[in-house]
Amino acid sequence: MKPLLISIILLFVQVSVWADQVVNIIPQPLSVVKGESSFVVNSRTSLVFDKELEEVADYLLEYLPLDTKKQRKNNALRLKLDKELGKEEYKLTIHKKGIEIRGGDYGGVFNGIQSLLQILPPEVYAKHAEFPVEVPCVEIKDAPQYTYRGFLLDVARTFQPVDEVKRVLDYMAYCKLNKLHFHLVDSPGWRMEVKKYPHLAELGGYRGGDSPLHPIYGSFFQKYGGYYTQDQLREIVAYAAQRNIEVIPEIDMPGHSKSIGTVHPDIRCNYTPDTSYTNGMDLRDVWCVAKESNYQLIEDIVKEMVEIFPSEYIHIGGDEVSFKWWKECPDCQQLMKEKGLENAAQLEQYFINRVTDMLAKYTKKSMVWDEAVDGGLLPTTTMVTGWRGVKQCLQTTEQGYPTIIMPSSVFYLDKRQSPHEKGHSSRQGLSLQTICDFTFEDAGFSDAQRKNIAGIEGAFWSEIYLSNISPEGRFSDYLEYMLFPRLFGVSEVAWSKSRRSYEEMLQVLQGSFYDRLSALNATFRLASPVVKVEEGKIIASVEDGSKLYYKDIRTDQECEYREPLDAALAPYVTFQSRLMSGRSAEIGLPEYYTYLNPECTATSSLPFRENRSLDRCITYKGDATSTRAAKAGDWVEFKFKEVLDASYIKIITGYKHLFRRLIYNGHIEVSYDGQTFEEVGKLSNGLFVLRPQKGIHALRIVSDGISDAEEYVIIQPLEIK
Ligand code: ACM
Ligand code: ZN
């Protein structure tokens, strides 16, 4: 065939696909006016840009390799600064002869580019766009509702390598989110290199093995962790800046400080705590407020931070401080008397105010979690991240604090998306719909309170991340499952003045965003299959065209679902659907979540709390909580009244949704005769699944070492089928 003919055919194919498309941008722009005609981007299209826009042009070229050698008048994509437009505002025009993106600033042009990428075929996200591409003529005028559109990434609980952080920054950029709240330091890990105190990261960045920090949240038998060198942090800051994202680092203080407390014990209060119930572990996680040397140490750290992070704010924490540790400290108590501080909340505020004043010396402002405002002594110039609930956000905006709205019930993307899937507990599940349905009107914000809303932030805390890193080593799979599609919801709340409904959002996602996520090889969550029993058969279905699979938990074998299954399988099967890079949760029928409750007794070498005794377990009401940590030789025994015939018994120590407060080093013993016990296997992450071949009289959980770095362990009722 002649080349010209091939071109004409190719063009024809593209026309049918791309010129007729509905222009659907997430987040919803202010206005989109589609024209009649179209423009063809080809490999000769010039990229023409203002000098100040070189970085953003480089970004665009990664996705769309345009010609930068020739500056054509027609057949050009132009990037321009336009002083008539506001910060981050943009105007994107596609006309018959070219494309123009005007922005009020760098961010405006960047936002316009993001909208353009969403008009181009999904392959641009895989960075192999094929030319020519025909795009519809359109004029988009757009500006953000909030200047702060954030996402919190917790790298303290689960360390995430630089490339993973960059991946998150890319996702944020696609969603026009512009602040990375980088949770760098917390009890489970210190992730920032401090040159003056190298041991903070070199020791405090790792848990387990020979690290002084005890394991928690998984990886119990291996040293696990990492930290960012200052060069790597600069690399992250630069990568973010190119994507119109500012990195706001957080050092969580004065609580959440076990990591630094363990590797730099000087920060702790000056007394010896009772460690008789913690296997000798000093679990104090607060800075002593009364030690002057602590403020010098913080200033040394701050001095290095301000050299790395150009952000206006530094987040200094202030959440969930365990006041109990200060009550025992003679120095903290003395300080309270001297300064006339009425309670521990005010003692915390004394600390926060000192650090805030120190930051001011380096022209930085402080951000704090909403608890830090409770004592009443913080100036209203302090930026608050409101996480505990809508109620607290209403309070802080009423009190005059600029507040980033991020109540955990709506914006914590580590929470599970429906009741029976992985993630942090959330009774009904925190779904895309939860986010789309959130409105300031319904939440009760007055006009005056709304004036103090400084922005919106989604968050991913990583307690449950480490245990979900896929065996293939695909680090971000679980994170992506939790982000998509919910991050689009956060983006829409943060950006759009006029928002889509949940139903509209779902339609747009299914219409064109699943393709884009697949081009990125990003996992996304599909709605769970609908499963029911009718006329002796289990019937499963999906509405999104995805493929269905089922798994028998007795054998762990998976098959494609092609026809209804026998209802007798109901207690043993889970269903999952998959489509492109998306997948649903694995869910069962109600029968799957129903267990046998055989009569039994429970005894233990561990003492249990009165209101959380083992009785709760054997009456199948809930978990039991010990009053001390477990050590080698501790045991819990369940003895059945009648010989138990079961095909599946799941033994769970710790929380059900989270590998914490568990016996990680232990084994299971079973008695088949009521006299002798034999070992049947080791606990893995506090769990064991027993598939008995004969009747059993009793079983025991036996600890072979210390429990995780907590003051107590939790024992769940047995799950028996
Ligand atoms: C928080 O979730 N403790 C801020
Ligand atoms: Zn103290």
Side-chain angles (χ1 to χ4, degrees):
M1 245 190 297
K2 294 210 170 66
L4 180 65
L5 194 57
I6 294 174
S7 305
I8 290 169
I9 290 171
L10 275 178
L11 197 65
F12 183 74
V13 171
Q14 300 286 10
V15 168
S16 62
V17 178
W18 295 110
D20 294 342
Q21 69 164 310
V22 181
V23 174
N24 275 320
I25 310 290
I26 298 177
Q28 171 107 296
L30 279 179
S31 90
V32 178
V33 180
K34 205 175 158 207
E36 290 295 315
S37 198
S38 63
F39 169 68
V40 178
V41 185
N42 56 37
S43 53
R44 285 162 49 80
T45 304
S46 298
L47 180 63
V48 184
F49 51 89
D50 291 352
K51 183 111 190 66
E52 304 92 313
L53 297 173
E54 201 168 327
E55 287 253 322
V56 75
D58 284 346
Y59 174 87
L60 177 59
L61 287 167
E62 277 183 38
Y63 291 85
L64 206 59
L66 302 174
D67 183 4
T68 49
K69 300 214 171 66
K70 274 219 171 92
Q71 302 232 324
R72 291 183 184 79
K73 201 149 179 238
N74 291 328
N75 193 14
L77 196 166
R78 280 171 209 287
L79 307 177
K80 286 192 84 57
L81 289 173
D82 184 340
K83 293 293 162 228
E84 301 285 300
L85 300 174
K87 276 183 89 160
E88 293 200 278
E89 185 175 356
Y90 72 91
K91 195 168 135 192
L92 164 62
T93 313
I94 304 179
H95 50 86
K96 277 196 274 191
K97 294 186 177 161
I99 301 176
E100 185 178 73
I101 296 172
R102 287 177 173 267
D105 57 2
Y106 182 100
V109 175
F110 186 83
N111 292 327
I113 286 174
Q114 290 309 325
S115 292
L116 175 65
L117 292 183
Q118 293 188 17
I119 296 171
L120 292 164
E123 292 73 38
V124 290
Y125 285 94
K127 302 188 179 175
H128 52 71
E130 290 197 15
F131 295 120
V133 175
E134 184 168 17
V135 285
C137 287
V138 70
E139 183 171 87
I140 298 177
K141 290 183 186 161
D142 203 4
Q145 160 99 322
Y146 293 109
T147 54
Y148 186 113
R149 305 177 303 281
F151 179 70
L152 177 146
L153 185 65
D154 167 19
V155 291
R157 287 173 177 77
T158 299
F159 177 70
Q160 291 144 68
V162 173
D163 281 350
E164 294 297 323
V165 177
K166 287 182 174 174
R167 208 168 155 89
V168 170
L169 288 165
D170 283 333
Y171 296 151
M172 289 176 64
Y174 304 144
C175 292
K176 300 190 178 93
L177 297 174
N178 66 352
K179 307 283 178 190
L180 174 68
H181 177 169
F182 206 21
H183 192 77
L184 277 171
V185 167
D186 202 307
S187 276
W190 184 286
R191 308 293 179 203
M192 184 187 78
E193 179 191 28
V194 180
K195 295 220 192 263
K196 188 162 180 186
Y197 306 97
H199 62 295
L200 294 186
E202 284 170 7
L203 295 177
Y206 297 87
R207 302 190 293 265
D210 64 359
S211 171
L213 266 70
H214 291 274
I216 184 171
Y217 308 136
S219 190
F220 292 106
F221 292 98
Q222 278 170 344
K223 188 165 167 175
Y224 162 80
Y227 64 90
Y228 308 104
T229 64
Q230 294 197 352
D231 281 347
Q232 287 175 323
L233 290 169
R234 285 196 180 88
E235 186 184 330
I236 288 169
V237 167
Y239 191 87
Q242 189 185 22
R243 285 152 185 75
N244 187 40
I245 298 168
E246 179 178 68
V247 182
I248 299 171
E250 175 177 358
I251 296 193
D252 202 344
M253 298 181 289
H256 282 268
S257 298
K258 216 183 277 174
S259 58
I260 184 167
T262 305
V263 302
H264 196 96
D266 278 359
I267 70 140
R268 293 167 170 163
C269 292
N270 204 3
Y271 68 93
T272 308
D274 176 8
T275 58
S276 61
Y277 60 103
T278 62
N279 289 321
M281 290 182 278
D282 185 340
L283 298 180
R284 288 179 296 168
D285 63 350
V286 296
W287 290 69
C288 182
V289 183
K291 275 191 187 172
E292 272 313 303
S293 56
N294 277 351
Y295 300 99
Q296 188 53 53
L297 173 61
I298 294 168
E299 184 153 1
D300 288 342
I301 295 167
V302 163
K303 265 190 219 161
E304 295 193 25
M305 280 180 98
V306 299
E307 292 297 317
I308 302 166
F309 299 99
S311 59
E312 183 182 1
Y313 288 90
I314 289 182
H315 203 300
I316 56 171
D319 59 321
E320 300 179 306
V321 181
S322 312
F323 292 150
K324 66 178 179 185
W325 303 120
W326 288 338
K327 289 209 174 86
E328 292 183 58
C329 173
D331 303 332
C332 282
Q333 294 305 313
Q334 178 61 26
L335 182 72
M336 284 176 71
K337 277 201 200 104
E338 275 171 26
K339 303 286 176 193
L341 305 170
E342 289 165 14
N343 49 42
Q346 292 198 346
L347 184 62
E348 176 184 348
Q349 295 199 327
Y350 171 86
F351 177 92
I352 297 276
N353 280 332
R354 292 251 342 227
V355 179
T356 300
D357 291 346
M358 176 200 305
L359 288 178
K361 280 184 12 196
Y362 299 91
T363 69
K364 299 286 184 190
K365 297 181 188 161
S366 61
M367 272 172 98
V368 298
W369 294 109
D370 60 66
E371 293 97 317
V373 178
D374 285 347
L377 302 179
L378 286 198
T380 52
T381 45
T382 318
M383 176 80 87
V384 174
T385 37
W387 75 279
R388 280 181 295 176
V390 169
K391 185 175 138 200
Q392 284 78 11
C393 294
L394 285 167
Q395 261 165 14
T396 56
T397 49
E398 176 71 27
Q399 289 161 346
Y401 292 98
T403 304
I404 308 298
I405 307 295
M406 53 182 308
S408 59
S409 56
V410 185
F411 293 104
Y412 271 23
L413 305 189
D414 47 288
K415 285 187 182 271
R416 60 190 175 213
Q417 305 183 58
S418 68
H420 293 299
E421 57 188 287
K422 287 179 178 172
H424 246 130
S425 51
S426 164
R427 197 166 297 167
Q428 267 126 39
L430 195 174
S431 64
L432 173 66
Q433 182 162 11
T434 315
I435 302 168
C436 289
D437 287 354
F438 176 82
T439 68
F440 292 108
E441 293 75 19
D442 293 348
F445 287 84
S446 67
D447 286 348
Q449 283 166 314
R450 287 192 67 161
K451 287 203 175 77
N452 289 325
I453 296 176
I456 302 292
E457 186 165 295
F460 178 78
W461 300 93
S462 57
E463 286 96 327
I464 308 182
Y465 193 6
L466 174 56
S467 47
N468 278 290
I469 293 170
S470 74
E472 312 89 70
R474 197 151 132 47
F475 208 98
S476 45
D477 173 79
Y478 177 72
L479 171 62
E480 290 163 353
Y481 180 89
M482 301 309 267
L483 292 192
F484 299 122
R486 293 186 293 183
L487 196 65
F488 294 118
V490 174
S491 149
E492 185 105 347
V493 178
W495 177 278
S496 305
K497 289 204 171 88
S498 151
R499 279 157 48 187
R500 292 183 177 88
S501 66
Y502 165 66
E503 288 75 18
E504 288 164 341
M505 194 73 150
L506 205 55
Q507 216 167 25
V508 172
L509 288 168
Q510 288 178 353
S512 51
F513 278 72
Y514 287 178
D515 292 344
R516 295 192 181 118
L517 290 168
S518 290
L520 287 164
N521 193 25
T523 304
F524 57 93
R525 176 192 181 267
L526 298 169
S528 302
V530 175
V531 191
K532 56 190 175 188
V533 174
E534 262 175 28
E535 295 173 4
K537 293 284 181 196
I538 304 170
I539 302 166
S541 59
V542 287
E543 285 184 358
D544 52 15
S546 53
K547 212 174 207 178
L548 260 169
Y549 300 84
Y550 69 97
K551 189 159 83 179
D552 189 320
I553 58 159
R554 294 166 301 183
T555 57
D556 264 348
Q557 222 171 15
E558 190 188 63
C559 301
E560 192 179 333
Y561 173 88
R562 293 176 196 277
E563 57 188 5
L565 309 175
D566 191 326
L569 284 172
Y572 307 112
V573 279
T574 59
F575 293 81
Q576 185 182 45
S577 76
R578 296 180 209 143
L579 175 74
M580 295 183 271
S581 59
R583 64 162 192 267
S584 76
E586 284 180 40
I587 61 131
L589 283 149
E591 289 88 335
Y592 172 86
Y593 304 102
T594 307
Y595 304 104
L596 302 175
N597 298 343
E599 207 174 316
C600 71
T601 53
T603 46
S604 177
S605 63
L606 281 163
F608 281 81
R609 289 188 197 165
E610 224 165 88
N611 61 352
R612 293 244 160 192
S613 72
L614 280 169
D615 275 354
R616 275 164 58 87
C617 280
I618 58 170
T619 51
Y620 304 96
K621 289 203 179 90
D623 54 9
T625 303
S626 70
T627 56
R628 64 164 171 82
K631 54 183 187 295
D634 274 325
W635 53 269
V636 179
E637 181 175 318
F638 295 91
K639 196 168 181 184
F640 302 102
K641 189 157 181 236
E642 314 268 340
V643 176
L644 176 64
D645 278 313
S647 53
Y648 174 98
I649 305 175
K650 189 168 184 185
I651 298 143
I652 308 170
T653 70
Y655 294 116
K656 276 177 150 182
H657 62 284
L658 167 64
F659 294 155
R660 185 171 181 194
R661 300 191 165 132
L662 49 78
I663 298 173
Y664 69 88
N665 187 6
H667 68 270
I668 301 299
E669 295 177 356
V670 173
S671 175
Y672 296 105
D673 60 6
Q675 310 287 324
T676 54
F677 281 84
E678 62 187 76
E679 180 173 340
V680 291
K682 298 263 178 227
L683 287 167
S684 167
N685 288 329
L687 305 174
F688 188 79
V689 173
L690 184 65
R691 295 180 170 97
Q693 302 297 316
K694 51 186 174 178
I696 66 174
H697 285 255
L699 64 82
R700 283 173 151 221
I701 305 166
V702 183
S703 169
D704 294 322
I706 58 168
S707 43
D708 64 357
E710 303 279 356
E711 293 133 303
Y712 54 88
V713 293
I714 286 173
I715 306 293
Q716 301 285 348
L718 299 170
E719 294 185 351
I720 306 171
K721 287 172 191 280

